[in-house]
Each structure stands twice: as structure tokens, then as C-alpha cells.
């Protein structure tokens, strides 16, 4: 699969393969070995999925998950548009990350020729703005749903400067409208910590005395 590294460390734009014929096309979405073999992507196994159906003008996010109190990992996700059009945003909310506070965007559509997906590593903030009536995003997620570990920062935080529409006023949930700014969430200890990419076994091995 063709990939592009985004401005947020670990996040990727992925172009999915398309196999057309006279009937239409077939587009493989998820094969565990394919996704786990992408550059910088640790093993990814989808254990949960969902559809987000939206009116035009809806903005959702910036949502993120923290590691579970029982040591369970934070959620990684794959996002694909299956109807309509969305401006998808990834935002680095990981405290200590080299790209902390940065964001990047990908235009997601149900395009017949080039279907794009976004890979969000654990701890990354995700948001989107629906640009068409009936926009549907498909999520594949790596962990079971744990409501206590889900959180958000404000998609309207001026310090983030996210390119979401302001006129007409975006349609937000009450929870998203009340979400703290990134700085407030950092001060309150609400953000996930950045986890550097895993080292190899050889690099982790202790040095032996000569």
C-alpha cells in the first residue's frame, strides 16, 4: 500500500488498493499482516469497528484515548470514508512528543479510484469536519471500548489553529464544545505520554562486562 508520513509522528495517510472491473470495484480494507507491515506501524489487530454518520457541517473531536489504569494500551485506529467527504485531522496531544501540538489533514472521500485511509497511532488526537450530507466514516480500532479512558481537547482551541469551518458555526456535541484546550489538559495531567518507537531486542539487551 502507498503511504505518506504526516506531520504528526507515527501518523500515516494510506492509499488503499483498488481492483476495478466491469461491475465496479473491490477495495481490500484490512489485512492484519499488511497494516502491521507498514513503515513504523507496530502490530495492529482490529478488535472493534464503528460507523460515524454525519450531517454536513458536523465537527467531531479532538478525541484521544489514554492507556488503561490496568496497563491496557491506548487505542490505535484506522479511519476510512465510505460515503460523502470529510476533512480528517490528526493532532499530536502526547505529552513529550517531538511533534506535540502539531496537526495534519487528509481529505477523505469515497472516491472510486483512490480510497485513502488515515492511521492514528495510540495516543494521537483525531477530529474531522463533515463536508457533505450523509458523510460516513468507518473506524477500525485496536482495543475494546473503555469509556473511562476516552477524552478530548477542544477542536476550536486557537493555539492549535485547526482548519475547521467557523462560518456557518460548526455542529458540535456538548462534550466537544466543553472540552479543555490543549494547554489546560496538559496542566491538569489529562494527556497521554509519548512512547518512543520500540527498540529492537538487540538494542534492549544489557551490556555484558568484558
Amino acid at each position: 500500500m502507498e503511504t505518506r508520513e504526516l506531520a504528526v509522528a507515527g501518523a500515516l495517510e494510506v492509499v488503499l488498493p483498488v481492483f476495478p472491473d466491469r461491475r465496479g470495484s473491490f477495495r481490500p480494507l484490512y489485512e492484519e499482516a499488511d497494516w502491521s507491515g507498514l513503515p513504523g506501524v507496530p502490530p495492529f489487530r482490529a478488535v472493534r469497528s464503528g460507523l460515524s454518520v454525519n450531517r454536513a457541517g458536523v465537527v467531531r473531536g479532538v478525541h484521544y484515548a489514554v492507556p488503561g489504569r490496568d496497563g491496557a494500551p491506548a487505542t490505535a485506529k484506522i479511519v476510512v470514508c465510505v460515503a460523502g467527504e470529510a476533512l480528517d485531522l490528526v493532532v499530536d496531544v502526547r505529552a513529550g512528543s517531538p511533534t506535540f501540538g502539531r496537526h495534519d489533514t487528509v481529505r477523505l472521500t469515497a472516491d472510486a479510484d483512490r480510497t485513502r485511509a488515515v492511521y492514528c497511532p495510540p495516543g494521537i488526537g483525531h477530529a474531522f469536519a463533515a463536508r457533505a450530507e450523509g458523510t460516513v466514516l468507518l473506524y477500525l480500532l485496536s482495543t475494546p471500548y473503555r469509556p473511562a479512558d476516552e477524552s478530548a481537547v477542544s477542536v476550536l482551541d486557537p493555539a492549535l489553529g485547526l482548519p475547521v469551518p467557523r462560518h456557518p458555526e460548526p455542529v458540535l456535541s456538548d462534550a466537544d464544545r466543553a472540552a479543555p484546550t490543549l494547554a489546560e489538559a496538559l496542566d491538569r495531567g489529562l494527556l497521554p505520554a509519548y512512547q518512543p518507537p520500540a527498540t529492537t531486542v538487540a538494542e534492549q539487551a544489557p551490556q555484558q562486562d568484558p
Side-chain angles (χ1 to χ4, degrees):
M1 293 187 289
E2 179 185 339
T3 64
R4 177 175 72 90
E5 294 183 2
L6 300 178
V8 172
L12 296 174
E13 175 187 357
V14 181
V15 179
L16 302 175
V18 179
F19 299 96
D21 63 23
R22 61 186 177 82
R23 301 165 299 170
S25 65
F26 178 75
R27 309 176 202 187
L29 171 57
Y30 175 77
E31 180 74 33
E32 182 179 352
D34 291 342
W35 280 93
S36 297
L38 293 179
V41 176
F44 181 99
R45 174 171 292 178
V47 301
R48 178 166 51 106
S49 64
L51 292 175
S52 176
V53 182
N54 305 272
R55 296 164 44 198
V58 164
V59 174
R60 298 183 190 252
V62 177
H63 300 151
Y64 64 91
V66 298
R69 295 176 179 84
D70 59 356
T75 305
K77 63 185 69 172
I78 297 167
V79 185
V80 182
C81 182
V82 296
E85 178 182 347
L87 179 67
D88 203 74
L89 299 105
V90 291
V91 184
D92 200 340
V93 300
R94 301 168 297 181
S97 169
T99 56
F100 180 71
R102 295 185 194 172
H103 72 272
D104 208 341
T105 63
V106 178
R107 177 177 171 266
L108 295 182
T109 70
D111 187 279
D113 298 318
R114 285 176 68 84
T115 300
R116 289 173 167 80
V118 172
Y119 168 75
C120 300
I124 286 291
H126 176 260
F128 69 86
R131 289 179 161 176
E133 198 70 22
T135 291
V136 181
L137 295 189
L138 168 65
Y139 287 75
L140 298 177
L141 303 115
S142 65
T143 65
Y145 181 51
R146 302 189 302 263
D149 302 333
E150 302 286 333
S151 196
V153 296
S154 175
V155 73
L156 302 178
D157 181 354
L160 289 175
L162 302 180
V164 298
R166 304 300 177 96
H167 304 287
E169 184 177 357
V171 180
L172 300 174
S173 70
D174 292 341
D176 284 350
R177 193 171 293 281
T181 66
L182 184 65
E184 290 168 343
L186 181 63
D187 289 343
R188 292 159 55 185
L190 301 177
L191 300 179
Y194 172 69
Q195 299 294 328
T199 57
T200 64
V201 173
E203 291 170 332
Q204 294 174 342
Q207 297 295 317
Q208 300 294 322
D209 292 332

